[in-house]
Amino acid sequence: MTQEFRLPDLGEGLTEAEVVQWLVAEGDSVALNQTLAEVETAKAVVELPSPYEGTVTALHAAAGDTVAVGAPLIAFRLPGEEDEDPAPPADAVSPASATAGSSGSEEADDQGPEAERDAGETAQPNLVGYGAAPAAAGRPARRARRTVTAARTADTTVLEAAPHDAVVSEAPSHTTVERPRSTPPVRAYAKAQGVDLALLAATVGDRVITRADVDEYLGTVSTREEEMSAREGKVSGLRSGGYDDGAARVTRTPVRGVRKRTAEAMVASAFTAPHVTTFHTVDVTATMEFIAALREDRTLDGVRIGPLAVVAKAACLALSRFPGLNSSWDQEAGEIVEHHFVDLGIAAATDRGLIVPVIRDAERLSLPDLAQALSALTATARSGKTPPADLLGGTFSLTNIGVFGVDAGTPILPPGQTGILACGAVRRLPWEHRGEVALRQVMTLSLSFDHRVVDGAEGAQFLKTVADLLENPARAMLLA
């Protein structure tokens, strides 16, 4: 009699599962509770135990196939039965009343499952949808999977000392053991790391091998290999590859504090706001001459005005004409929030990481006041004493990459802001000036903006306005 086993309900409302691999084949004899296959649902990989004892006559799905709950999965021939009398599908038999007896006689029905077990007949299945009755104490019997090598029955100490890619000789053909118990992800991980799970089976005992077991084994092997390399290095005076004994190959630094928060903010910004970056190279010779003249002005003693201060002032003036760059996107409200003030963020590189302190109401400051605010802000940031409140609420930001000798870049927006302007290095280059080629001082500006708030035209117009002010600072009189 052939008995069908249908895919049972694996819980949580799942309606199907994929066959990861079969652990039995047609013609195999299986015991009650022996693992038949591993199937993967949307939640996890599950081992299916056999609800019957018998011989496998058919596998109704191949590895990789998706099977619906209730669909035939595997067929058995029960002990002492012939194939001519197929039984009804397993799901048509009540778990409380189904029997695995062969005669179907009234006498057998009267004796019940206990009598069948006493007579050495098949036990009654009892799992979710079918289920297998608890077997005797101890580990369920499993089919012998493959021939093993003699080394795999060796002492545990030998196994631990053996490298994970050691080659061992074949054992006698009659020596067989069970396949090491683990899940498909762990087997895939072990294979990728070059670890033979059979080497771990002797150390973990009667439990399932986990990823942590593989990592622990790799750590043990790595430690021993390093110890051997160190001993060899002491003999030769050099490590393999020419490194001396004490040379550090890697340094690990925990990500915490400012760097951790910066990393989280940059990832959130990069994957939330659609960034667009546009570039413009401008002749800033007039601006550099303007700065040189201010440094000669005795009324400005003690005030150091540099290119960044002039760019900051130009940006504040341009934002009054293009307020979209000084806005923010409110996701929850579905609104664009336009700010009528400029809280100007200044990106500052410190020993603790990148921070962006803010100059409040920067649009109200004169150029000398803005320069002094920049100096104070930078000194405080580098000393690590910037108050947390000064790191919040910027509406537009500047970053001076020119101080590192860099010409251009694609800066990432601080979270909540729509625009950030990067100032490149000032370089003396051949440039067209008044119809001739002359050696001029030029700078590249890089503007990144949130394309949800600002269109490309508005971004380009803002950048051109800043460039015009740097090309001819007197134009600021037209915007003030």
Side-chain angles (χ1 to χ4, degrees):
M1 179 177 68
T2 300
Q3 180 67 59
E4 295 281 358
F5 175 44
R6 298 176 182 270
L7 180 67
D9 180 0
L10 300 172
E12 301 188 23
L14 300 172
T15 60
E16 63 184 19
E18 178 184 333
V19 178
V20 176
Q21 66 172 339
W22 285 105
L23 302 180
V24 296
E26 290 186 21
D28 285 355
S29 295
V30 299
L32 183 69
N33 277 336
Q34 179 178 331
T35 302
L36 301 173
E38 291 171 340
V39 298
E40 184 173 10
T41 70
K43 303 289 184 181
V45 174
V46 179
E47 292 185 346
L48 287 181
S50 174
Y52 305 108
E53 176 184 355
T55 302
V56 177
T57 60
L59 303 179
H60 294 308
D65 289 351
T66 298
V67 181
V69 170
L73 191 64
I74 185 172
F76 299 91
R77 184 173 64 249
L78 303 184
E81 298 293 342
E82 300 297 335
D83 285 334
E84 64 262 20
D85 262 343
D91 58 351
V93 182
S94 168
S97 62
T99 65
S102 60
S103 65
S105 66
E106 186 176 334
E107 181 182 354
D109 291 341
D110 291 340
Q111 290 175 348
E114 290 298 330
E116 290 181 359
R117 282 193 288 272
D118 292 341
E121 297 182 17
T122 306
Q124 175 63 37
N126 179 28
L127 52 71
V128 180
Y130 297 85
R139 182 177 173 184
R142 299 185 63 182
R143 181 170 72 92
R145 294 298 296 164
R146 54 192 168 95
T147 300
V148 297
T149 61
R152 288 174 187 166
T153 61
D155 182 76
T156 299
T157 304
V158 177
L159 291 176
E160 291 178 349
H164 58 270
D165 57 352
V167 178
V168 292
S169 60
E170 289 292 334
S173 59
H174 63 274
T175 305
T176 58
V177 296
E178 295 177 358
R179 182 172 176 272
R181 300 180 65 203
S182 62
T183 61
V186 172
R187 284 196 290 277
Y189 177 69
K191 183 177 180 181
Q193 299 298 322
V195 176
D196 188 341
L197 291 181
L199 295 176
L200 277 72
T203 65
V204 302
D206 198 38
R207 63 176 175 81
V208 175
I209 297 172
T210 66
R211 184 183 178 116
D213 294 326
V214 177
D215 288 337
E216 183 178 358
Y217 177 81
L218 287 171
T220 301
V221 172
S222 177
T223 300
R224 288 178 179 170
E225 290 176 349
E226 290 176 0
E227 290 174 353
M228 292 177 64
S229 296
R231 287 195 293 269
E232 292 171 358
K234 290 177 182 178
V235 174
S236 64
L238 287 175
R239 290 183 53 131
S240 176
Y243 293 95
D244 63 40
D245 247 359
R249 304 299 297 273
V250 297
T251 300
R252 292 181 176 272
T253 303
V255 180
R256 57 170 64 98
V258 171
R259 191 167 298 279
K260 181 177 181 180
R261 289 193 294 272
T262 300
E264 292 171 347
M266 293 299 97
V267 170
S269 176
F271 288 96
T272 300
H275 284 56
V276 174
T277 304
T278 186
F279 307 90
H280 186 55
T281 302
V282 58
D283 181 350
V284 295
T285 304
T287 287
M288 300 307 293
E289 292 173 348
F290 173 57
I291 290 172
L294 291 177
R295 289 176 178 173
E296 298 295 327
D297 191 333
R298 296 182 179 179
T299 63
L300 297 175
D301 285 347
V303 178
R304 181 175 178 80
I305 299 176
L308 183 60
V310 178
V311 173
K313 186 61 180 178
C316 289
L317 293 172
L319 288 173
S320 66
R321 295 188 61 183
F322 302 98
L325 273 298
N326 195 45
S327 303
S328 59
W329 179 275
D330 188 332
Q331 182 67 36
E332 292 186 5
E335 298 173 341
I336 295 175
V337 181
E338 182 180 310
H339 306 290
H340 302 296
F341 55 89
V342 179
D343 281 353
L344 188 63
I346 305 295
T350 72
D351 294 338
R352 299 168 60 235
L354 178 69
I355 62 174
V356 188
V358 175
I359 300 175
R360 306 293 177 187
D361 297 318
E363 84 285 0
R364 298 184 179 183
L365 299 179
S366 64
L367 180 59
D369 290 341
L370 196 53
Q372 287 184 314
L374 281 169
S375 297
L377 175 147
T378 303
T380 302
R382 289 176 178 169
S383 67
K385 298 180 180 179
T386 302
D390 288 351
L391 299 173
L392 302 174
T395 62
F396 184 87
S397 290
L398 295 179
T399 179
N400 184 12
I401 59 177
V403 72
F404 304 109
V406 176
D407 295 326
T410 55
I412 296 178
L413 293 167
Q417 297 184 26
T418 293
I420 180 171
L421 181 65
C423 311
V426 177
R427 301 190 182 280
R428 292 176 64 83
L429 296 174
W431 199 259
E432 190 276 330
H433 178 65
R434 295 178 180 175
E436 297 180 355
V437 175
L439 196 62
R440 306 288 289 178
Q441 299 188 73
V442 300
M443 170 194 287
T444 298
L445 302 174
S446 310
L447 174 69
S448 290
F449 56 90
D450 185 342
H451 214 324
R452 296 174 301 178
V453 181
V454 174
D455 294 332
E458 185 176 359
Q461 290 168 353
F462 168 84
L463 189 60
K464 182 63 166 59
T465 299
V466 173
D468 288 345
L469 291 171
L470 296 178
E471 189 175 19
N472 184 1
R475 288 184 177 142
M477 299 295 292
L478 302 175
L479 298 178

